[in-house]
Amino acid sequence: MSFPSLSKSAAQNRALIVSVESYSACAGLGKRSGVRWDTKRLHAALKRRGFQVTILNDPNALEIIEEFKAESEQSVHSCFVGVISSHGENGVVFGSDGRPVKLAHIYSQFGGPVMANKSKLFLVQACRGSELDNGVETDSVCVDSSEDDGIYECQSIPNQTVVAYATAPGYSAFMHPTGSVFLQTFCDLVEECEEWEITRLLTRLNRLIAFEFEARGKMLKGKKEMPCFVSRLTADFYPFTNTIRVLATELLQDTHTARKNSIT
């Protein structure tokens, strides 16, 4: 069996993984166990699909903004994947310094000429509120229409972009010492569903988590998580069709850590 090779001079598909595990003492935010497992798994899964992967560990708010801006100004072959894993609230995620970063600010940077005709996928592993999902089946969901930030966030998503969230607006996202159910399930599907169009893959992701995941423990037993995604695609998007042969040693050697600055 032969494997396709990528010329070093040619533009590759790229991925940026922003993982915040530890926060400064003044931030008042707890350590997020399991982040490292998610990061390692994402790196391996995306690398095997031909992506050049950059990992940003424990960046502050300004560093998150600057790194995504830098990525938005570099060409890619056909698509870009951005992953953000941190504490959050509806419309924002937090840097390791505890300062908020508006997701709308990140998305809007990818509407410029360099990325305008490229496909983009963002994954957000963060809480979007403090509510807990009891898993009750309903025909409709009531959303506070006065939440202007949420509307602006959706409007900021550029064309040819899909944003997948670990949970719905207003709800908490679960994190486990072995990794988040959202990102771990996503990696499962990237590895198993090579030829799938992205909205089909994300719909399967929603189903698997909605029906197969249930929190444990005295406080959270029986609570559920329901991911959701927003699509502004105007054409089918197949981000994970490129399979390359990568040895385990190469995966470790090729990891590019833009910044590793755990703050205690």
Side-chain angles (χ1 to χ4, degrees), residues 49 56 81 111 177 192 194 242-243:
R49 292 302 185 205
L56 196 61
V81 174
E192 297 168 7
E194 180 180 352
N242 182 25
T243 304

Side-chain angles (χ1 to χ4, degrees), residues 89-90 127-132 147 167-172:
E89 295 177 357
N90 201 22
C127 292
R128 304 178 74 188
S130 58
E131 294 293 323
L132 293 172
E147 294 181 353
T167 190
Y171 285 86
S172 297

Side-chain angles (χ1 to χ4, degrees), residues 79-99:
C79 70
F80 170 81
V81 174
V83 184
I84 307 170
S85 178
S86 183
H87 284 301
E89 295 177 357
N90 201 22
V92 303
V93 292
F94 295 101
S96 60
D97 54 355
R99 295 176 64 87

Side-chain angles (χ1 to χ4, degrees), residues 27-151:
L29 297 170
K31 184 175 181 179
R32 302 173 63 244
S33 300
V35 171
R36 296 184 185 184
W37 288 106
D38 281 347
T39 302
K40 290 179 180 179
R41 184 89 188 279
L42 283 163
H43 174 261
L46 292 170
K47 193 74 179 177
R48 289 194 177 99
R49 292 302 185 205
F51 283 79
Q52 177 184 326
V53 183
T54 297
I55 300 173
L56 196 61
N57 288 321
D58 291 342
N60 61 38
L62 181 59
E63 289 167 341
I64 294 174
I65 294 170
E66 290 180 339
E67 192 66 24
F68 273 108
K69 185 177 186 297
E71 289 288 345
S72 73
E73 295 171 348
Q74 299 182 59
S75 181
V76 294
H77 174 64
S78 61
C79 70
F80 170 81
V81 174
V83 184
I84 307 170
S85 178
S86 183
H87 284 301
E89 295 177 357
N90 201 22
V92 303
V93 292
F94 295 101
S96 60
D97 54 355
R99 295 176 64 87
V101 177
K102 287 191 175 183
L103 291 169
H105 189 178
I106 292 175
Y107 305 151
S108 62
Q109 294 181 134
F110 287 78
V114 175
M115 285 287 184
N117 297 318
K118 305 298 183 180
S119 299
K120 284 84 65 177
L121 169 64
F122 290 93
L123 304 169
V124 182
Q125 168 59 41
C127 292
R128 304 178 74 188
S130 58
E131 294 293 323
L132 293 172
D133 193 337
N134 292 314
V136 178
E137 294 186 2
T138 62
D139 292 329
S140 62
V141 177
C142 295
V143 178
D144 184 356
S145 60
S146 66
E147 294 181 353
D148 294 336
D149 285 347
I151 296 173

Side-chain angles (χ1 to χ4, degrees), residues 202-250:
L202 293 176
T203 301
R204 175 61 63 87
L205 173 69
N206 287 0
R207 180 178 178 82
L208 287 173
I209 296 177
F211 287 98
E212 297 185 10
F213 170 77
E214 186 173 291
R216 300 177 181 178
K218 292 182 179 180
M219 296 293 293
L220 300 176
K221 185 176 181 180
K223 301 299 181 181
K224 306 287 286 183
E225 182 170 297
M226 182 66 235
C228 61
F229 65 88
V230 178
S231 172
R232 297 202 67 188
L233 295 176
T234 57
D236 290 343
F237 175 20
Y238 298 86
F240 306 120
T241 57
N242 182 25
T243 304
I244 60 174
R245 185 177 185 180
V246 182
L247 300 176
T249 53
E250 293 174 321

